[in-house]
Amino acid sequence: MILNNIDFTIIIDWILRIVQIATFIGVIIKVSFKGSGYVNNVEIQSIIPLQFDRLHDRFHFIREFNHTSNEDSTNHFLFYPKDVDIKKIEFLSLSFENKLVETKLDTVEELKNNTCLIIHTSLPGTIPNLRIRWETSLGEIGEYTFTLNGYNGNTNISSYKYKLTTKRKLMLVLGL
């Protein structure tokens, strides 16, 4: 009888090791190929200058970024994090020269929770001219292009499609 001479504990041990390695490889593949999702920890709202004074009731610190050339057609946007900190915000100028070209205008570091950024820009009826890209403290990268909404005119966002940084992917694999 061959079954009497087999040590089943060694077979079970090897099967569990193989399952553990396969599970770890599966987690790495799942996190690595995760495209993106939607998250609502950053908000952008269109505001009017009359609302500027009331912002001190909601935010501890207010920063401003000016991207206007014509003061008559200036739009104002409120950009702020909700329950997260923003590590870096990049402002990109957009132009079209046989393809869309991004030129870095400015960078704002560390926009903490309960602080906001007022963005002054004009929304052209043609090709957009301003894009904002940010990275949260959770490792999410988001971007928004300031443009007119031809559907319902609403330029506010309460959620955005994000991508994960390499650091965040590694943290997800390790369960941190």
Side-chain angles (χ1 to χ4, degrees), residues 164-175:
L164 296 177
T165 60
T166 305
K167 179 182 174 183
R168 181 64 179 162
K169 287 180 182 181
L170 184 62
M171 290 174 62
L172 285 173
V173 167
L174 298 177

Side-chain angles (χ1 to χ4, degrees), residues 28-94:
I28 290 173
I29 290 171
K30 170 74 172 146
V31 170
S32 297
F33 292 109
K34 182 177 181 177
S36 61
Y38 285 91
V39 69
N40 63 351
N41 57 10
V42 171
E43 193 153 334
I44 299 175
Q45 295 176 348
S46 179
I47 61 172
I48 57 174
L50 294 175
Q51 296 172 320
F52 289 171
D53 292 336
R54 296 165 131 194
L55 293 178
H56 293 288
D57 296 339
R58 293 175 50 196
F59 301 106
H60 298 302
F61 186 69
I62 299 171
R63 294 183 180 182
E64 293 192 40
F65 175 77
N66 194 2
H67 180 257
T68 56
S69 58
N70 184 358
E71 295 296 325
D72 295 335
S73 63
T74 301
N75 299 87
H76 310 281
F77 292 92
L78 184 64
F79 176 85
Y80 62 95
K82 297 185 301 186
D83 300 325
V84 71
D85 294 336
I86 297 178
K87 292 169 57 175
K88 180 173 66 170
I89 304 168
E90 291 180 341
F91 293 94
L92 306 164
S93 175
L94 302 175

